Amino acid sequence: MTHPHTGPHTDPRTDSGAADPHTLVVRLDSVGDVLLAGPAVRMAAAGSRRVTLLAGPLGEGAARLLPGVDEVLTFDAPWVGRRPAAVDRAETAALVEALARRRFDRALVLTSYHQSPLPIALLLKLAGVEWVGADSEDYPGSLLELRHRRAAGRHEAEAAMDLAAAAGFALPEGDHGGLTIHPPPDTGPLTGTDPYVVVHPGASAPARAWSRERARRAVAALADAGHRVVVTGGTSEKELTAAVAGEHALDLGGRTGLHELAGVLAGARAAVVGNTGPSHLAAAVGTPVVCLFSPVVPADRWAPFGVPHVLLGDQSAPCAGTREVTCPVPGHPCLDAVDDAQVLAALDRLPPASPTRAPHPARNTHPTDRTAEEARA
């Protein structure tokens, strides 16, 4: 639903005075959030001469993987994340200056259903961006030219596309609106060539993943059932992946960056992972997902998008809808109660992975990556 705060709906492509304008897309949170913004970004790119994506430090790596993005700016917004940055006048001024120098014709602010776009909309107005569109339940005053209200229960990827459509954008011909990234590298030297299943045991929010011991038992059960298992994780998760892999799996903890992880996921038969960034990265390379989905956030908004998947976990558990980072229920029953037979059955229900998809056409396959401070210099 579109609710302009004054007057009728306006088309930024004509009101900006630019037939092929420079568009700013804002998505300030983490890897998964940025990947889910990918289809909306491609919509914006199809109607723009250039697209800049403003990301947070956690999502910057994912932003660089999205087709349609020409430049990435980074800002650590003090209203985003579980450990938000302190308000810094100099950093905020640097961002406003960096945005102003680019003379954007329009901006789309993408947020989750529980977030407000108004803090960044204010900064965009201070930077001289004349046309800003966003989902907003709060009255925006003069901050938004397009005040859009998302339909109830929409998946995050669909909600972003709804906003882009309300702003007058459309997917390019042949683009079916799934997640995608630039082609990942060949990671065969890391994984070997025999078929395998990825288990990614970590998550930035512990409530959204198995406990370490439960993940270790699952890997052992998968190996006993004849699956070759590859365990993945970031540099900070090397102790976790080593414990989970044990003697049953190949441990790649700390050995892949985000693009290399995409390559490992692209080569997998399936991925077993919680509701976290690698779940959406698997979807972006066409790999089926067994998703351990804690109900702390709604599955209809955050499930793997556009690929075959099976959700495991008690969606009616007492933690449902709490957005808790750490499980508030002793024993983490919503996920740790998922037994090995359920995991094996879920894998059997998934079809074979499709070949890695090529990205949709992008004008620049290597977007510039800059912080606001660097961009000002």
Side-chain angles (χ1 to χ4, degrees):
M1 297 176 65
T2 302
H3 299 273
H5 69 277
T6 56
H9 173 57
T10 55
D11 187 335
R13 291 171 294 183
T14 55
D15 286 10
S16 69
D20 295 303
H22 187 182
T23 299
L24 174 69
V25 179
V26 180
R27 185 76 222 206
L28 290 170
D29 4 41
S30 60
V31 167
D33 304 296
V34 172
L35 293 172
L36 290 172
V41 169
R42 299 197 304 274
M43 293 173 72
S48 304
R49 74 176 185 276
R50 183 173 176 82
V51 170
T52 295
L53 199 152
L54 176 61
L58 296 179
E60 171 268 323
R64 287 189 283 109
L65 300 184
L66 294 184
V69 174
D70 297 289
E71 180 185 30
V72 177
L73 297 178
T74 307
F75 178 60
D76 196 356
W79 59 88
V80 174
R82 290 185 289 274
R83 289 181 290 275
V87 175
D88 187 300
R89 188 172 186 171
E91 288 293 323
T92 303
L95 173 68
V96 171
E97 182 176 344
L99 297 174
R101 287 169 61 90
R102 282 160 176 76
R103 301 176 62 87
F104 293 107
D105 299 297
R106 54 188 172 177
L108 280 182
V109 180
L110 305 181
T111 55
S112 296
Y113 70 98
H114 55 81
Q115 297 172 327
S116 172
L118 300 185
I120 191 64
L122 175 60
L123 299 185
L124 295 177
K125 288 300 180 183
L126 292 174
V129 182
E130 294 186 358
W131 195 99
V132 181
D135 288 335
S136 183
E137 293 300 319
D138 299 320
Y139 172 63
S142 60
L143 298 180
L144 300 179
E145 281 59 54
L146 170 63
R147 179 194 185 186
H148 182 262
R149 287 180 176 149
R150 68 173 62 194
R154 291 290 272 171
H155 193 282
E156 290 293 311
E158 293 172 326
M161 286 189 279
D162 290 346
L163 173 61
F169 299 114
L171 286 165
E173 184 177 355
D175 187 332
H176 300 295
L179 306 189
T180 192
I181 60 169
H182 294 304
D186 175 17
T187 51
L190 278 177
T191 63
T193 56
D194 291 337
Y196 61 90
V197 171
V198 165
V199 173
H200 189 91
S204 59
R208 301 186 189 188
W210 268 328
S211 66
R212 176 182 302 199
E213 179 56 28
R214 178 67 197 91
R216 187 195 66 78
R217 295 200 311 272
V219 166
L222 287 166
D224 287 346
H227 294 282
R228 188 166 78 92
V229 181
V230 173
V231 177
T232 58
T235 302
S236 65
E237 297 172 318
K238 291 169 67 174
E239 182 181 347
L240 169 65
T241 61
V244 168
E247 59 186 19
H248 301 286
L250 173 63
D251 176 17
L252 293 184
R255 297 178 62 188
T256 59
L258 193 63
H259 211 192
E260 291 76 21
L261 176 59
V264 173
L265 289 165
R269 156 78 176 83
V272 181
V273 57
N275 172 30
T276 187
S279 171
H280 305 301
L281 192 60
V285 294
T287 297
V289 180
V290 175
C291 189
L292 302 158
F293 204 99
S294 166
V296 291
V297 295
D300 58 359
R301 294 187 174 104
W302 295 102
F305 186 73
V307 293
H309 63 273
V310 178
L311 299 183
L312 297 180
D314 180 4
Q315 299 305 297
S316 62
C319 62
T322 62
R323 303 214 311 265
E324 291 283 354
V325 174
T326 303
C327 181
V329 182
H332 197 22
C334 69
L335 293 186
D336 277 9
V338 173
D339 62 33
D340 296 333
Q342 290 176 284
V343 177
L344 293 169
L347 282 172
D348 288 341
R349 289 168 56 189
L350 292 174
S354 62
T356 301
R357 290 174 287 173
H360 298 277
R363 297 168 305 286
N364 183 351
T365 57
H366 299 285
T368 305
D369 176 30
R370 304 171 100 179
T371 64
E373 185 67 33
E374 290 169 338
R376 184 178 61 167

